[in-house]
Amino acid sequence: MSSYHERSSSWTFLTHHARVLLEIARDPEVRLRDIATSIGITERAVQGIVTDLHEAGYLARERVGRRNRYSLNLDQSFRYPTEAKLPVRLLIEMFTQHDLSQDQSLESH
């Protein structure tokens, strides 16, 4: 039988959809290949997630040369009924604020 640590390490609180959205929030011109590498899934999976997010109204794509630039609809509500009255902005701000505080702590050392 596996230990609790081995079993508990296979899940996280954030879905891949949330992680892709956060990566795009951090860098609106990020390449899908870089998102895939960053979160540990295939580029094809990221493409599917970006399509899901686009179709659900969470992001828009604009072609700039050979690349895409993404913009987020931060007022779009979460999909799950218990959070449906809350904007996705809360998630984005929570994690991008975390990124900013990490950057500031690195600069102060």
Side-chain angles (χ1 to χ4, degrees), residues 20-36:
V20 168
L21 197 65
L22 287 168
E23 291 299 318
I24 291 170
R26 290 177 180 125
D27 179 3
E29 296 182 9
V30 67
R31 295 181 311 171
L32 300 186
R33 175 182 318 154
D34 295 333
I35 294 173

Side-chain angles (χ1 to χ4, degrees), residues 95-108:
F95 282 93
T96 56
Q97 189 65 28
H98 176 262
D99 294 344
L100 291 174
S101 60
Q102 274 190 333
D103 291 344
Q104 290 171 353
S105 68
L106 291 175
E107 290 172 5
S108 65

Side-chain angles (χ1 to χ4, degrees), residues 19-100:
R19 292 185 188 284
V20 168
L21 197 65
L22 287 168
E23 291 299 318
I24 291 170
R26 290 177 180 125
D27 179 3
E29 296 182 9
V30 67
R31 295 181 311 171
L32 300 186
R33 175 182 318 154
D34 295 333
I35 294 173
T37 300
S38 175
I39 65 177
I41 62 175
T42 66
E43 187 174 347
R44 185 140 180 117
V46 173
Q47 289 172 345
I49 290 170
V50 167
T51 297
D52 289 346
L53 294 171
H54 179 261
E55 289 174 356
Y58 289 95
L59 62 81
R61 294 180 264 210
E62 174 190 357
R63 196 77 172 156
V64 179
R66 295 176 44 205
R67 301 197 48 189
N68 285 322
R69 176 180 296 137
Y70 301 94
S71 57
L72 301 182
N73 178 1
L74 298 178
D75 295 324
Q76 182 77 0
S77 297
F78 285 97
R79 292 172 51 99
Y80 199 74
T82 58
E83 294 89 34
K85 293 182 181 178
L86 299 173
V88 74
R89 170 185 313 279
L90 297 174
L91 177 77
I92 300 300
E93 287 176 351
M94 180 172 58
F95 282 93
T96 56
Q97 189 65 28
H98 176 262
D99 294 344
L100 291 174

